Amino acid sequence: MRCSLFIPSPTLLTHLDLQYSATAMLAMDYKLSMPSSSPTKWWSKETVAVVTGANKGIGFALVERLAELGLTVVLTSRDVTRGKAAIESLRAQGLDIEFCQLDVGDSSSIMAFASWLQRRFGGLDILVNNAGVSFNEIDSNSVEHAETVIRTNFYGPKLLIEALLPMFRRSPATSRILNISSQLGLLNKVSNSALKELLRDEDKLSEEKIEYMVSQFLDHVKKGTWQEHGWPKVWTDYAVSKLALNAYSRLLATKQEGHGLSVNCFCPGFTRTAMTRGRGSRTPEEAAEVAARLALLPPSELPTGKFFKWCTPTLYSKL
Ligand code: NAP
């Protein structure tokens, strides 16, 4: 049973709830197996983790969890007021969190953030690209905001990664990038065979090809022909943004193999946040628990180029 952002029928709901009760146990076991003195603990207060879009939702819960586990965590938010309110609520719990403004849709904000991070910490160990948008309602599909969605969900992580790549410490533990993605962006959601072919051919896949795919989609949106070209049918603009993110992550993982940087994607499944208008089969804390587990896998067990469906790595769609 795959996790899905869409829950149209009570039967499906039951399946997801059942699936969740099993995975909740896994998440709980994980929590129990990660006390601060655990032998698998490879990180320390010197380990710097950055989480984007962390003023609310899954990102906020992830910052909280990583800070509880003893890392130095940078909470970033595009809006300073919302970011500072988030920081205050975490500090009120005794958690020591750093803050910096970061709008992933704005390249000057990305550059300013990279300079701040360099000055403040001299580098980083973990980047979680969590910031994301969707303007779709649960049971509707619109491409009205396609450009913003693509800019935020695909170009945002890509430009941030490019800016931070030279700053990953890559030692003593492997540095990590965890891109919070979605199964809506898996290749099996695409029915255009030429597009599938392009994305499947990993030896020939390039950033240019991924960006070309994205520009084709935006062009189809502009011309009003997007429904004829075999793009994903559900939350189309969001799905294309995550399709591109998944493809880019896989490409980057291959390029970085052997250079001390792992790159993986994680689909948290249907989670009760602002993006889903509070609907979902799990809480942001439960999703963040699994994200933290993946971000902190022991170096010897850390894969690269994987797409994690909740706790399970999968390559069934190649991306
Ligand atoms: P959320 O509660 O709406 O949080 C999204 C976060 O991203 C907010 O902090 C938002 O900031 C921030 N953001 C949006 N645009 C940004 C930008 N340009 N620069 C920086 N931050 C920006 O949604 P969520 O469910 O926690 O989503 C987190 C991630 O999980 C997303 O990547 C989403 O695609 C993914 N995901 C969610 C689900 C689900 O069911 N919830 C399922 C699969 C994947 P503002 O408060 O300023 O808007």
Side-chain angles (χ1 to χ4, degrees):
M1 182 66 211
R2 295 202 297 268
C3 39
S4 162
L5 207 51
F6 296 89
I7 301 195
S9 73
T11 321
L12 187 52
L13 255 176
T14 313
H15 278 308
L16 282 168
D17 287 346
L18 284 176
Q19 180 206 27
Y20 175 63
S21 54
T23 49
M25 293 297 290
L26 266 177
M28 217 179 285
D29 286 344
Y30 161 69
K31 196 165 189 169
L32 289 175
S33 72
M34 277 217 325
S36 49
S37 60
S38 159
T40 59
K41 185 183 165 195
W42 56 268
W43 64 90
S44 69
K45 192 71 185 159
E46 304 304 309
T47 309
V48 175
V50 171
V51 183
T52 67
N55 54 289
K56 67 185 182 197
I58 297 166
F60 176 81
L62 180 58
V63 163
E64 182 177 26
R65 186 70 191 122
L66 293 175
E68 282 170 2
L69 288 165
L71 291 92
T72 290
V73 190
V74 182
L75 182 156
T76 69
S77 164
R78 62 174 159 177
D79 181 272
V80 173
T81 309
R82 288 197 285 272
K84 287 198 168 157
I87 285 282
E88 287 315 315
S89 72
L90 292 172
R91 286 186 181 149
Q93 297 176 44
L95 294 171
D96 179 22
I97 319 259
E98 295 278 335
F99 171 71
C100 188
Q101 190 272 346
L102 172 60
D103 181 342
V104 300
D106 174 357
S107 55
S108 58
S109 173
I110 289 178
M111 289 308 149
F113 173 72
S115 306
W116 174 85
L117 194 67
Q118 183 66 47
R119 281 196 311 278
R120 181 73 184 85
F121 296 111
L124 80 162
D125 304 282
I126 301 173
L127 169 64
V128 182
N129 278 303
N130 166 80
V133 283
S134 170
F135 297 87
N136 293 283
E137 293 299 326
I138 292 294
D139 46 10
S140 71
N141 196 21
S142 113
V143 292
E144 202 184 325
H145 301 280
E147 279 194 21
T148 305
V149 172
I150 298 287
R151 185 170 63 246
T152 310
N153 299 358
F154 168 57
Y155 282 108
K158 182 174 185 292
L159 293 177
L160 183 61
I161 288 169
E162 284 167 4
L164 300 187
L165 259 187
M167 292 164 58
F168 278 98
R169 293 190 174 119
R170 299 170 196 251
S171 172
T174 303
S175 293
R176 301 107 199 271
I177 296 174
L178 187 64
N179 290 327
I180 310 296
S181 192
S182 168
Q183 292 186 81
L184 293 178
L186 288 182
L187 203 50
N188 59 1
K189 305 291 186 294
V190 175
S191 57
N192 178 322
S193 49
L195 178 57
K196 276 189 155 176
E197 190 86 354
L198 179 138
L199 291 172
R200 267 211 195 100
D201 193 349
E202 287 185 28
D203 290 340
K204 292 200 191 126
L205 192 61
S206 63
E207 287 180 30
E208 290 72 27
K209 285 186 179 171
I210 298 168
E211 293 192 11
Y212 175 72
M213 167 188 85
V214 162
S215 69
Q216 285 279 93
F217 170 67
L218 291 174
D219 193 44
H220 294 161
V221 168
K222 246 182 222 153
K223 291 181 177 144
T225 60
W226 59 277
Q227 274 154 322
E228 302 155 24
H229 291 279
W231 296 107
K233 289 193 170 21
V234 174
W235 278 24
T236 303
D237 53 4
Y238 177 85
V240 173
S241 72
K242 298 293 190 180
L243 181 72
L245 179 63
N246 293 341
Y248 173 66
S249 303
R250 191 121 173 88
L251 189 65
L252 185 67
T254 308
K255 280 189 187 162
Q256 291 295 326
E257 201 140 18
H259 298 284
L261 179 64
S262 84
V263 186
N264 293 298
C265 289
F266 168 56
C267 172
F270 193 39
T271 306
R272 294 193 286 275
T273 65
M275 184 173 282
T276 60
R277 314 283 183 263
R279 291 178 63 186
S281 48
R282 59 190 56 129
T283 65
E285 290 72 25
E286 287 158 348
E289 187 66 47
V290 178
R293 171 187 174 183
L294 297 176
L296 297 177
L297 281 171
S300 60
E301 294 169 25
L302 185 66
T304 194
K306 300 280 187 204
F307 180 99
F308 284 87
K309 282 197 311 188
W310 193 232
C311 302
T312 316
T314 178
L315 279 179
Y316 75 91
S317 85
K318 295 240 176 143
L319 293 168

